[in-house]
Amino acid sequence: MAMIAFPSVQSLLIQMQFRGQPLSTGTAFVALSSKRTPYLLTNRHNVTGRNQETDQPLSKTGGIPDSIVIVHNKKNTLGQWVPRTETLYDMDGKSRWKEHPVLGAKADFVALPISALEDVALYPYDDPGNPGVEMSIGPAETVSVIGFPFGITAGGAFAVWATGFIASEPDIDFDGLPVQLIDCRSRQGQSGSPVLAYRAGGSYALPSGGSVMTTQPVQRLLGIYSGRINAESDLGIVWKISAIKELMDTV
């Protein structure tokens, strides 16, 4: 197989279902907890099937998902995929996903334990406490949202890269939440995508003010994408990696 960028296989296409019937598609990725246990990270609105603000069903059918199909990478066969289904509720009807320990339902991201892993290869992001190389990330720096707009893939189940720019000061919380803004033409289906600062090579700046030259790709996970601030804008919401770490430290 030709050389591919590793994040193209780390993003996973997901399909939300109710009683086996498709409702919507989205994006997810696997991350390791502080205990090195893999969890699926995606948006809360993907698993609840409800608008975060209004609590109304997102599907035109009114259906609320009870399971999620994850298109995993196939074990020992990069470039092939296997669908695996995870239930969203246990036998008592309790949700299986974990929410942020303080923000709870206000945070539009969750961690879902994954168990249907037969013939599956996992390519997780490391413990969110170690999100990648140190680099200076400020306004107007390029970032990539790596997912599946409208359920579209880049061939097979390789993810699509949508590239934009940091649109707010990373150290400042937007709307009083651990959120920053990006300017990117991302669309439905990319909810749950990892947001990366990815540099294919060359020079990148360090937070200390210096710079590094590299011939190899480097990346830093900045957070998880959860949609645009409104339907008329290309400004997108990214929940920060610091908040994701707070969740993963509790699972």
Side-chain angles (χ1 to χ4, degrees), residues 148-210:
F148 302 92
F150 309 109
I152 294 170
T153 74
F158 289 115
V160 174
W161 293 56
T163 298
F165 305 92
I166 295 287
S168 66
E169 291 288 348
D171 292 335
I172 304 299
D173 288 346
F174 173 74
D175 202 24
L177 294 168
V179 162
Q180 67 186 87
L181 299 179
I182 59 172
D183 184 0
C184 182
R185 296 193 68 182
S186 43
R187 292 296 184 263
Q188 179 182 345
Q190 287 171 288
S191 293
S193 297
V195 179
L196 294 184
Y198 182 89
R199 307 294 181 258
S203 176
Y204 64 91
L206 296 173
S208 62

Side-chain angles (χ1 to χ4, degrees), residues 126-150:
D126 202 350
D127 169 10
N130 180 28
V133 302
E134 290 288 338
M135 64 173 73
S136 178
I137 306 295
E141 292 279 353
T142 57
V143 294
S144 296
V145 179
I146 307 169
F148 302 92
F150 309 109

